[in-house]
Amino acid sequence: MSRGPRVIALVAAAAGWTGPWGAGAAVAAPAPADANQAVLMLRTARGDAFAKRADAVVSACRGTLRFALRDHPPLAAEVQRRVETAKPAVARKALDLYPCFTTARFAPAIDAGLARPPVAPYAAEIAARLEEPRTLPHLERELADRGDRCLEPPSEAEREVCVWLAYALGPVGGAAGAQARASVAPRLLALLDSKAPKVREVTVESLFAWGEKEHAAAIRRLVKREKNGGFDSPNESGLIGRFEQRARALQKGRK
């Protein structure tokens, strides 16, 4: 064993961490005693151990170490590294560490997750949970980069990314306000032409969440296409009925 892993193993033993160090999962993930130990727990985690230790660090961020870990630079760097380079399951789990950060500090991690197709749906979900207007440009850019792929998704994985991007734009755009939504509105409205029924469904819900009367007409046009064979794969009649309800409510100026 080289000096680096030996030192890590000694620190781990002193902290009470068990399991096949550097190879397998830890049996347990004790609560970190301070910010430095929290970072070390994540940095040295392998395999399933990362998920357990991430949960322990999140608990600390919400409890005893909430001030010490808030936007802690080494913690942010470790999360960023995992989101950018780790296997998708680990990268997604790293995004669960968002309670440790302000949204402004966590935005680069969301950005990195959106740039990785296997991670992008969950990154969009986290953005939706945060409802933070500052993530709107990240979502808009990712949707722009995909171009027509959300209109005709080439794979199920791509379709899932488009669904979550459309979904996230609802709560994030709703929190951002009308002026901030102006630039992204054309991209969201364009998704009403998607060949993927789920993308169209989620887009209607996001437009409804925005509550803007002028979008009622676009939803009514979608309803007409859904009913009159405008799509090879139309939405179910119950969903189309809900689209009509959304359009009427928007037209009346209420959500």
Side-chain angles (χ1 to χ4, degrees):
M1 182 184 288
S2 65
R3 179 176 175 79
R6 183 182 297 114
V7 171
I8 291 173
L10 290 172
V11 173
W17 304 334
T18 58
W21 193 257
V27 173
D34 54 36
N36 291 334
Q37 191 179 80
V39 175
L40 184 63
M41 286 173 65
L42 297 179
R43 188 175 294 158
T44 56
R46 301 292 183 270
D48 293 341
F50 184 83
K52 297 176 182 178
R53 295 179 188 176
D55 287 341
V57 172
V58 169
S59 294
C61 287
R62 287 172 166 156
T64 56
L65 298 180
R66 59 187 179 278
F67 298 116
L69 286 173
R70 192 67 166 173
D71 287 346
H72 186 56
L75 180 62
E78 180 59 21
V79 170
Q80 190 73 21
R81 182 180 74 86
R82 294 284 186 163
V83 174
E84 290 178 354
T85 65
K87 293 181 179 180
V90 173
R92 288 190 290 267
K93 190 62 184 179
L95 288 169
D96 280 340
L97 286 149
Y98 70 88
C100 301
F101 303 94
T102 58
T103 304
R105 189 66 183 85
F106 199 67
I110 293 176
D111 203 21
L114 289 171
R116 296 184 62 187
V119 184
Y122 195 59
E125 181 180 347
I126 294 298
R129 288 186 202 173
L130 295 175
E131 297 187 16
E132 171 53 58
R134 281 172 288 191
T135 65
L136 187 62
H138 301 267
L139 296 168
E140 180 184 4
R141 191 195 60 251
E142 192 60 30
L143 192 58
D145 288 347
R146 277 178 162 69
D148 292 341
R149 283 180 291 164
C150 285
L151 298 181
E152 192 170 356
S155 66
E156 178 63 24
E158 194 70 33
R159 185 197 70 89
E160 184 183 10
V161 174
C162 295
V163 166
W164 279 104
L165 286 172
Y167 168 77
L169 285 171
V172 175
Q179 184 174 356
R181 289 193 296 265
S183 64
V184 73
R187 298 193 189 281
L188 184 59
L189 286 165
L191 296 183
L192 293 176
D193 292 326
S194 176
K195 291 186 177 181
K198 190 66 176 179
V199 173
R200 300 194 302 272
E201 175 195 345
V202 174
T203 299
V204 169
E205 295 305 316
S206 288
L207 291 170
F208 180 69
W210 287 8
E212 296 183 13
K213 185 175 181 179
E214 61 265 31
H215 295 150
I219 298 176
R220 286 198 300 270
R221 288 193 295 271
L222 171 66
V223 168
K224 186 175 181 179
R225 290 185 65 189
E226 295 273 8
K227 288 182 173 181
N228 296 332
F231 298 102
D232 292 337
S233 299
N235 277 287
E236 296 178 355
S237 59
L239 287 175
I240 297 173
R242 191 172 74 193
F243 299 167
E244 291 179 301
Q245 293 173 359
R246 299 307 198 206
R248 286 195 297 269
L250 288 178
Q251 187 63 45
K252 293 177 180 179
R254 65 172 184 269
K255 291 195 283 184

